[in-house]
Amino acid sequence: MKPEDLILAWTKPPFSESVQKEAEAALSAFRNGETNALTDAFSLPLEFGTGGIRGKMGSGVGRMNEFTVGRAALGFARHLAQKKKAKIVIAYDSRHRSKEFAEVTAGIFAGLGISVKIFPKVTPTPLLSYAIRYYKAQGGVVITASHNPSEYNGFKAYLADGGQLVPPDDKEIIQKIEAISDWTEIKLLPTTSPIYKDKVSTVKKHCFRSYLKDLKNAKIQSKAKKSDRKKLKIVYSPLHGTGAEFMKETLRKFGYKNLFLVKEQAEPNGDFPTVKFPNPEEKDALVLCEKYAKKHRAQLFIATDPDADRLGVGIRKADGEYEYLNGNQIGSIMAAFLAEKVSKQSTKTKHHIIKTIVTTDLQESIAKKNGIEIKNVLTGFKYIAEEMKTLDYKKGERFLFGGEESYGYLPVQFVRDKDSLASALLFTEILAEKKDILDYLTQIYMNYGLYRESLISLTLEGSLGQAKIKDSIEKLRNSNLIGSKIGKRTIEGILDFGTQTAKGTGLPSDFDGLPTSNVIQVLLSGNGKLTIRPSGTEPKVKIYSSFCSLEPPAKKSDIPRLWNDLGEELSLAENEFAKLAGLK
């Protein structure tokens, strides 16, 4: 539909009079040639990205509201309705309107005769993934905007394996959603409706108990003594999200009794009043964590985002201050621990580590030196889940660990999305065994290579922003950069995941079965990489950098100097790369 027609559709029923007046104002502005937040809200539809749909709440086709949620749910429901005795599981986070949107979604599915299991309270995303498999459902939905600010919400869809939408289902579902142009097709079923009551029931506590049982059987525990676990002091914050009750029960179940919750952030609250962004990637969001950790002299603090799939940590140093580890470091510690553990076992099982193309290549070095298979996939945990699904059908092969640099990790097979609960348990187990986890990280750098990564995100909102993001990637796509210099390093190759073409010598001729994606990756001398991609869930373009030190550390004392050198090199390279793309 044309932008004007999209706006026009909201100037009449089934929308309320107040929404119709907003749409009329947007239509008037649009016809006058104006482009602003109001016209964008009614003329730029929310689109499925790496995590479904996500956007600011409000009126219009470009905002999260009961009709855009209902439209996404209806398209998905029509897809699942083709399956016999279809069943779906629904969860939601602590954001404003999350419960309402979950009930709207449940009502849409119930209206098509599909059985629904809905969690009775705010619940971590990884438990939604688990519950789909537990109930043998054909799909799932979680209402969440992950770590976005409070004005955002989102709708993430899952398939029967517990992973997010992947080809070919994603295209079929998107087509069904986009085919809905008449908003009166979306029937909002009240929770008091007989159909709703007949088809919708709640997820019971035994589902989480089953998760904990499977976590026990996953054997990710370390050699730590029971007394070591008991005396380890841990501070935890769910950042006003879904994790408090579930994290507390998980860690205490495995013997961690000295667990302290950050009181001000323990209760679910969609305003996220104590933080600017409820994101464990942001150091500012962890100020209260560190304060509590110092108060209790805790060896570790951990924090999760609102839907509790991402995990951030801080480690107490000898001087009483705390080291904030980034997502690549946390994931590499877990990957190394698990890889070293299985490499010592006399087994014929072939283990696999799966990571995204923008996650540190330190994990590739870890895998190869321990005889572990390594696979790189596109950004988005759904691609890790897709690879896990293929391993289900390969005898003698087993998933070991999956992760992405954006603080998402998975150390178990029975969940198919990033899981902060299992990851927190594994990380505390490593700390309980190793005692000094920072020293263990240093050993990892000495054994496998000193890598440092960075990320810059440029926010470009609205239609003009979208155009600039597209132009920046096209500019790189059409440039001849081989042999050019970025800082101290030479561009040796370029991988274009959009056209699936490679420039440079010694590069693979295919993309190993990966779907196309609008991503450009520049390969530099000395194991360096620069990657640019538009965000799938936010109005941003992201530039990732990952460099291995050109000078291998000869001794542990070399690492601080080399680390600082890498930081300066990354900063210069990112700026040069952004200029090449026309973004600066």
Side-chain angles (χ1 to χ4, degrees):
M1 291 178 69
K2 295 178 181 178
E4 185 170 339
D5 293 333
L6 289 171
I7 303 172
L8 195 60
W10 287 71
T11 63
K12 50 194 167 187
F15 304 108
S16 67
E17 287 186 13
S18 62
V19 171
Q20 290 179 44
K21 286 179 180 179
E22 280 187 77
E24 286 165 2
L27 186 62
S28 176
F30 182 83
R31 286 172 172 169
N32 287 331
E34 296 178 34
T35 300
N36 52 40
L38 183 63
T39 58
D40 285 349
F42 285 89
S43 65
L44 293 177
L46 293 175
E47 296 181 357
F48 264 81
T50 55
I53 57 171
R54 187 183 300 180
K56 293 180 179 179
M57 288 176 276
S59 303
V61 70
R63 297 288 183 262
M64 291 291 298
N65 51 67
E66 63 269 35
F67 285 96
T68 52
V69 168
R71 183 175 183 244
L74 183 57
F76 189 21
R78 285 175 174 170
H79 176 77
L80 291 189
Q82 300 170 124
K83 306 176 187 299
K84 290 182 179 179
K85 296 182 179 179
K87 185 189 298 180
I88 190 166
V89 186
I90 299 172
Y92 56 94
D93 71 4
S94 59
R95 291 175 179 275
H96 297 303
R97 303 200 75 187
S98 281
K99 184 178 181 182
E100 179 188 342
F101 291 161
E103 290 172 346
V104 164
T105 302
I108 294 289
F109 278 89
L112 289 189
I114 297 171
S115 296
V116 179
K117 286 283 185 182
I118 187 168
F119 280 90
K121 56 188 174 184
V122 297
T123 301
T125 288
L127 293 182
L128 179 276
S129 176
Y130 180 82
I132 293 167
R133 296 163 64 84
Y134 179 78
Y135 284 108
K136 295 181 173 60
Q138 283 64 55
V141 169
V142 60
I143 304 297
T144 179
S146 187
H147 55 286
N148 281 62
S150 60
E151 64 268 26
Y152 283 79
N153 215 323
F155 175 106
K156 284 205 294 188
Y158 292 74
L159 297 171
D161 68 319
Q164 293 179 47
L165 301 188
V166 292
D169 294 85
D170 58 350
K171 290 182 180 177
E172 293 176 11
I173 292 164
I174 290 168
Q175 285 173 359
K176 283 183 164 55
I177 293 169
E178 290 179 345
I180 302 167
S181 57
D182 182 355
W183 293 100
T184 61
E185 287 184 63
I186 298 160
K187 309 298 181 185
L188 301 179
L189 201 66
T191 57
T192 54
S193 161
I195 296 174
Y196 190 101
K197 289 182 176 180
D198 178 55
K199 287 293 180 181
V200 181
S201 58
T202 58
V203 172
K204 304 300 181 185
K205 289 182 179 179
H206 52 68
C207 179
F208 183 48
R209 288 198 291 266
S210 177
Y211 168 90
L212 292 176
K213 183 179 178 180
D214 284 346
L215 190 54
K216 179 77 173 178
N217 294 334
K219 298 179 180 177
I220 62 172
Q221 290 170 277
S222 69
K223 296 176 182 177
K225 296 177 182 177
K226 186 177 180 180
S227 58
D228 291 332
R229 294 186 180 95
K230 191 175 181 180
K231 68 184 180 183
L232 191 67
K233 291 181 179 179
I234 305 164
V235 164
Y236 168 61
S237 172
L239 298 179
H240 305 291
T242 62
E245 176 186 332
F246 298 94
M247 185 69 78
K248 188 165 78 172
E249 188 170 345
T250 298
L251 292 181
R252 288 186 174 172
K253 174 82 173 178
F254 286 87
Y256 296 95
K257 308 299 182 183
N258 265 321
L259 179 66
F260 306 95
L261 261 65
V262 176
K263 190 184 300 182
E264 296 92 330
Q265 299 172 335
E267 293 298 320
N269 187 332
D271 289 324
F272 310 116
T274 65
V275 293
K276 187 176 181 181
F277 299 105
N279 185 356
E281 297 181 59
E282 302 282 347
K283 191 173 180 179
D284 288 348
L286 306 180
V287 170
L288 281 174
C289 269
E290 184 172 352
K291 178 183 174 182
Y292 268 69
K294 285 181 176 178
K295 175 184 176 182
H296 294 285
R297 295 180 60 82
Q299 291 95 325
L300 168 71
F301 68 73
I302 56 180
T304 55
D305 62 344
D307 66 324
D309 59 354
R310 297 171 193 254
L311 174 76
V313 306
I315 304 294
R316 191 172 191 270
K317 298 185 291 185
D319 61 2
E321 296 300 315
Y322 286 81
E323 183 82 14
Y324 290 71
L325 300 185
N326 64 43
N328 281 307
Q329 291 173 317
I330 298 166
S332 296
I333 288 169
M334 294 182 191
F337 181 81
L338 293 174
E340 290 163 359
K341 186 177 181 180
V342 300
S343 69
K344 295 173 184 175
Q345 299 170 356
S346 54
T347 174
K348 293 182 180 179
T349 302
K350 187 185 289 184
H351 290 88
H352 293 254
I353 288 176
I354 308 167
K355 72 177 191 69
T356 66
I357 59 173
V358 296
T359 299
T360 178
D361 282 341
L362 172 58
Q363 291 175 22
E364 191 160 329
S365 177
I366 289 167
K368 288 178 178 177
K369 287 196 176 183
N370 285 284
I372 308 292
E373 295 291 315
I374 182 77
K375 171 82 172 181
N376 283 289
V377 297
L378 294 177
T379 307
F381 221 90
K382 62 183 180 180
Y383 295 115
I384 294 175
E386 187 178 27
E387 287 298 318
M388 293 174 71
K389 188 177 180 180
T390 65
L391 292 177
D392 288 341
Y393 302 100
K394 293 183 179 180
K395 189 176 179 181
E397 303 197 32
R398 183 181 176 89
F399 169 79
L400 182 67
F401 179 77
E404 53 187 6
E405 44 65 52
S406 54
Y407 291 61
Y409 336 95
L410 182 61
V412 295
Q413 297 182 71
F414 52 83
V415 174
R416 297 296 163 93
D417 206 348
K418 46 190 175 281
D419 183 353
S420 71
L421 303 177
S423 298
L425 173 63
L426 174 59
F427 197 86
T428 53
E429 284 290 303
I430 298 170
L431 178 58
E433 179 184 309
K434 301 291 184 182
K435 304 295 191 294
D436 188 341
I437 214 161
L438 296 177
D439 183 65
Y440 181 50
L441 179 59
T442 299
Q443 291 175 34
I444 290 170
Y445 288 142
M446 295 295 294
N447 293 339
Y448 304 109
L450 179 60
Y451 287 79
R452 184 167 181 175
E453 291 74 33
S454 182
L455 165 66
I456 58 172
S457 295
L458 302 173
T459 300
L460 298 163
E461 294 187 323
S463 53
L464 295 176
Q466 287 184 11
K468 188 167 185 178
I469 290 172
K470 183 180 177 181
D471 290 346
S472 68
I473 295 176
E474 283 300 317
K475 183 176 181 180
L476 290 171
R477 177 168 285 135
N478 298 319
S479 299
N480 184 16
L481 299 173
I482 301 295
S484 302
K485 285 276 191 179
I486 291 184
K488 301 175 184 177
R489 305 189 188 226
T490 304
I491 296 177
E492 297 181 336
I494 298 173
L495 299 175
D496 186 337
F497 291 87
T499 61
Q500 297 213 324
T501 55
K503 299 176 184 177
T505 57
L507 296 177
S509 56
D510 63 57
F511 280 70
D512 203 13
L514 296 180
T516 59
S517 182
N518 196 23
V519 178
I520 304 287
Q521 189 165 73
V522 174
L523 309 180
L524 304 168
S525 56
N527 289 330
K529 282 183 182 176
L530 288 162
T531 308
I532 185 168
R533 61 176 283 268
S535 171
T537 54
E538 301 168 274
K540 293 180 178 180
V541 62
K542 298 186 176 184
I543 295 175
Y544 304 80
S545 53
S546 176
F547 285 10
C548 183
S549 176
L550 294 172
E551 178 190 338
K555 51 187 183 296
K556 290 182 179 180
S557 59
D558 291 338
I559 288 179
R561 172 180 60 83
L562 296 175
W563 185 261
N564 288 334
D565 290 347
L566 278 173
E568 291 176 9
E569 190 181 3
L570 289 172
S571 181
L572 288 171
E574 285 171 339
N575 281 316
E576 286 185 36
F577 191 52
K579 287 177 183 176
L580 284 175
L583 292 167
K584 286 193 175 183

